[in-house]
């Protein structure tokens, strides 16, 4: 049984904080709040002080993917498991934890090279959450959302998350379709709670940056998705995909290109997994309708015919 409860936070670095603010606050309706890092963009979705933090820098890349556990005992358990698997673990200092506004955390790199953190004791903000459209973000027991990571070592990466961290397989999609030559290559979806997947692992060149395919955030109603889509178009952001409904998690969503070369998926109506009957399945199409990825090379990797 996994000790990980959900995706807790995402820390990224960007060369263009104003454009990030325009996308996340003005278009997607996240609440900008204050934080310990001067010049950074601290973005709130719920009672957590900030789920997404964008720091200024000379390059665009992921600083940390933060996974949440229940308490100090679960954190210690994860640390021992990661070390036993042969990965170095760093215990974050009090200053580093204060920067992330958590009680305690550890840090290590996964087999894909993704900087990964596990934490407990997030600091809460009990003031009203002031989202741009009055929408509510779907978090709570489902965590912040999901991330998709590129890796040149897909088997090792999936094995690490499932066998070491205890994530559960939630299906796959075969790249290139059933008739693709050579060994099968699959995007694998894995989860830790009732959200269909909190993580997907995509066989793809990692490159130097940004180290992430996309971050998904879910809201509580279709109208909020539609309003955000209108704003994204008004503000001149590039859509990586049109609106559509996915076949695996049933999410109705669109994808928008964020500054730095990766994507934000913004959707609603995601399905919930009941582990009493669920079995991992292989989908043969990414979506029932919509989600036209044309012109978006990173996301084309998800097409079964690519």
């Amino acid at each position: 049984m996994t000790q990980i409860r959900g995706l807790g936070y995402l820390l990224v670095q960007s060369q263009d904080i104003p454009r990030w603010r325009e996308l996340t606050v003005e278009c997607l309706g996240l609440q900008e709040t204050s934080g310990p890092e001067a010049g950074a963009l601290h973005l709130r979705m719920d009672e957590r002080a900030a789920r997404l933090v964008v720091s200024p820098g000379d390059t665009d890349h992921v600083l940390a993917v933060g996974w949440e556990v229940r308490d100090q005992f679960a954190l210690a358990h994860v640390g021992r498991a990661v070390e036993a698997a042969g990965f170095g673990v760093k215990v974050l200092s009090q200053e580093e934890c204060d920067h992330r506004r958590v009680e305690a955390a550890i840090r290590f790199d996964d087999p894909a090279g993704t900087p990964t953190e596990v934490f407990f004791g997030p600091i809460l903000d009990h003031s009203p959450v002031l989202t741009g459209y009055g929408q509510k973000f779907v978090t709570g027991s489902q965590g912040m959302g999901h991330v998709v990571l590129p890796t040149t070592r897909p088997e090792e990466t999936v094995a690490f998350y499932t066998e070491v961290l205890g994530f559960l397989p939630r299906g796959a999609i075969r790249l290139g379709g059933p008739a693709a030559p050579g060994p099968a290559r699959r995007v694998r979806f894995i989860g830790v709670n009732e959200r269909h997947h909190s993580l997907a692992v995509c066989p793809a060149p990692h490159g130097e940056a940004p180290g992430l395919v996309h971050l998904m955030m879910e809201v509580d109603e279709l109208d909020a998705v539609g309003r955000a889509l209108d704003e994204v178009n008004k503000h001149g952001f590039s859509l990586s995909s049109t609106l559509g409904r996915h076949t695996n998690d049933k999410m109705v969503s669109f994808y928008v290109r964020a500054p730095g070369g990766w994507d934000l998926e913004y959707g609603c109506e995601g399905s919930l997994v009941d582990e009493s009957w669920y079995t991992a399945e292989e989908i043969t199409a990414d979506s029932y309708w919509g989600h036209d990825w044309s012109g978006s090379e990173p996301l084309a990797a998800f097409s079964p015919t690519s």
Side-chain angles (χ1 to χ4, degrees):
M1 181 177 179
T2 182
Q3 300 290 335
I4 308 293
R5 294 296 178 89
L7 179 65
Y9 56 73
L10 182 65
L11 310 180
V12 300
Q13 180 176 289
S14 175
Q15 302 176 70
D16 194 347
I17 297 294
R19 190 63 168 160
W20 262 97
R21 179 178 289 108
E22 188 178 355
L23 173 59
T24 55
V25 178
E26 296 183 35
C27 297
L28 303 183
L30 282 80
Q31 179 184 354
E32 182 176 4
T33 186
S34 60
E37 181 183 357
L41 180 61
H42 299 83
L43 297 165
R44 188 179 175 206
M45 301 167 67
D46 53 16
E47 280 199 319
R48 305 296 173 89
R51 290 278 195 176
L52 176 60
V53 178
V54 186
S55 300
D58 296 332
T59 59
D60 298 88
H61 64 273
V62 174
L63 298 175
V65 178
W67 299 99
E68 185 173 0
V69 295
R70 185 186 189 279
D71 51 32
Q72 66 269 38
F73 306 109
L75 184 64
H77 183 278
V78 171
R80 290 192 296 268
V82 172
E83 287 183 329
F87 294 83
V89 175
K90 175 190 175 184
V91 177
L92 296 191
S93 68
Q94 186 61 58
E95 181 181 358
E96 290 170 317
C97 290
D98 290 344
H99 179 82
R100 291 154 176 78
R101 289 181 280 195
V102 300
E103 182 171 339
I106 59 175
R107 182 180 175 93
F108 50 87
D109 288 343
D110 73 6
T114 304
T116 305
E117 297 179 356
V118 180
F119 72 95
F120 85 93
I123 295 174
L124 302 183
D125 180 347
H126 301 297
S127 64
V129 183
L130 303 177
T131 59
Y133 312 116
Q135 80 276 41
K136 292 183 179 180
F137 285 90
V138 178
T139 57
S141 63
Q142 298 186 54
M144 176 186 180
H146 75 236
V147 289
V148 179
L149 303 179
T151 178
T152 56
R153 303 169 61 190
E155 293 81 10
E156 295 95 325
T157 303
V158 172
F160 176 79
Y161 281 98
T162 55
E163 298 174 21
V164 178
L165 296 184
F167 283 58
L168 295 171
R170 295 275 172 80
I173 185 170
R174 183 168 176 169
L175 299 179
R185 298 168 59 247
R186 291 178 171 88
V187 176
R188 295 202 179 272
F189 306 95
I190 50 181
V192 291
N193 52 45
E194 60 187 352
R195 188 183 293 281
H196 179 272
H197 56 281
S198 296
L199 171 64
V201 175
C202 179
H206 193 286
E208 296 182 1
L212 188 74
V213 177
H214 75 253
L215 164 71
M216 188 285 297
M217 297 177 286
E218 183 179 358
V219 291
D220 61 340
E221 61 177 13
L222 181 60
D223 285 346
V225 176
R227 293 185 188 104
L229 182 56
D230 282 350
E231 292 302 315
V232 162
N233 287 321
K234 288 177 186 177
H235 285 256
F237 286 95
S238 175
L239 285 182
S240 296
S241 89
T242 59
L243 191 70
R245 185 185 291 276
H246 282 305
T247 54
N248 57 3
D249 66 0
K250 318 305 179 191
M251 190 78 66
V252 177
S253 63
F254 66 88
Y255 292 68
V256 58
R257 180 59 48 89
W262 49 286
D263 293 316
L264 298 179
E265 180 186 5
Y266 196 85
C268 64
E269 300 182 10
S271 62
L272 302 179
V273 171
D274 181 350
E275 281 295 334
S276 66
W277 62 264
Y278 180 82
T279 59
E281 301 166 320
E282 183 167 301
I283 56 175
T284 56
D286 183 60
S287 305
Y288 292 108
W289 53 268
H291 283 149
D292 179 3
W293 313 114
S294 59
S296 178
E297 182 179 349
L299 287 175
F302 286 90
S303 170
T305 58
S306 64

